[in-house]
Amino acid sequence: MRRDTGAAALLGPLLAGSAQPHQVRRAAQGLGLPERGRYAVVVLGAPAVVPSDGDGVRWCWCGEAGVVLLGPGGLAGPVARLGEAGAGPGGVSPVVGGLAELGLARRLAGAALLTCGPGAREIVALDERLPTALVASVPELSARLVAEVFGPLLVLAPAERALLVGTLEAWLECGGSVGRAAVRLRCHRNTVFNRLRRLERLTSRSLSHPRELVETVLALDALRLPAARG
């Protein structure tokens, strides 16, 4: 990762959310950036070779956090170039309106990074992972959610637990269609149905009840998190 101690010194207070107005002005002048503009923050989980400026995009780095001044193409191009450069895992904030908002963007990018699974190399935008980020941002609650919803599954043999969880994942990815999930899992639709009914009995939650389905899906997101799986 390219490091510029001068840029880092100017960006540090902004990314920490502690910058005073005069520090925002000084950072803008020192970095040659506008105080107001379309910015986003990327937080990487590991050191990486990061892309250089281009296509109207400006990058500035402070440790694992990168600030990007967006060009006319928006976030898609810079995020794609990060992925092509092999940088990841990483979390990307929503777009904010100026340097004074980089502290908020840094926190939101960090929340997106928390949703990346073990060994992942993906670059994910917060807006694509909002429910999971909510769960991941409060580890104590996510652990409680897993214990409360999936507690009975956690005492099963690993292969049996993986079978039930994998069936639930396939059913969700297939839009709640038992038939399509059966095709994906290469089994009979009655097998999928029976596995889902067993999961409902174990969790004491119905997949046809909206509130209980939401709890189950959020618990599944929490179960996928590195802390839960480690």
Side-chain angles (χ1 to χ4, degrees):
M1 183 180 296
R2 293 180 289 114
R3 296 183 184 274
D4 183 329
T5 55
L10 292 169
L11 286 174
L14 276 66
L15 291 168
S18 59
Q20 299 300 311
H22 72 276
Q23 292 174 299
V24 175
R25 291 192 295 272
R26 186 173 66 183
Q29 293 168 359
L31 297 169
L33 296 172
E35 287 189 45
R36 301 296 301 171
R38 298 174 64 248
Y39 289 95
V41 171
V42 176
V43 176
L44 300 178
V49 176
V50 296
S52 56
D53 299 342
D55 298 328
V57 172
R58 286 277 315 276
W59 287 96
C60 295
W61 288 88
C62 179
E64 81 289 357
V67 174
V68 55
L69 173 63
L70 298 171
L75 263 174
V79 170
R81 282 192 290 277
L82 279 172
E84 292 164 0
V92 185
S93 76
V95 176
V96 295
L99 294 177
E101 299 172 55
L102 292 185
L104 170 62
R106 167 65 179 80
R107 293 194 300 274
L108 295 178
L113 177 61
L114 290 176
T115 71
C116 295
R121 300 291 294 175
E122 57 192 343
I123 305 292
V124 300
L126 177 69
D127 289 346
E128 298 171 354
R129 298 282 182 89
L130 282 171
T132 309
L134 283 170
V135 172
S137 295
V138 189
E140 297 84 357
L141 288 182
S142 66
R144 181 61 187 166
L145 185 62
V146 170
E148 181 67 20
V149 176
F150 287 139
L153 269 73
L154 300 180
V155 301
L156 299 177
E160 188 176 6
R161 179 173 68 245
L163 185 66
L164 293 177
V165 171
T167 300
L168 174 62
E169 290 175 329
W171 179 76
L172 290 169
E173 290 166 2
C174 291
S177 169
V178 170
R180 283 194 285 147
V183 172
R184 175 172 296 194
L185 295 170
R186 300 182 180 180
C187 63
H188 195 278
R189 67 190 314 276
N190 285 346
T191 301
V192 174
F193 183 82
N194 290 335
R195 290 175 187 171
L196 294 176
R197 296 293 81 79
R198 184 172 181 223
L199 188 141
E200 287 182 318
R201 290 193 298 271
L202 286 168
T203 62
S204 300
R205 284 164 175 81
S206 170
L207 297 176
S208 60
H209 190 289
R211 283 189 178 274
E212 293 177 3
L213 176 60
V214 168
E215 282 190 355
T216 302
V217 171
L218 290 176
L220 179 62
D221 282 341
L223 187 67
R224 292 166 171 156
L225 296 174
R229 303 181 76 168

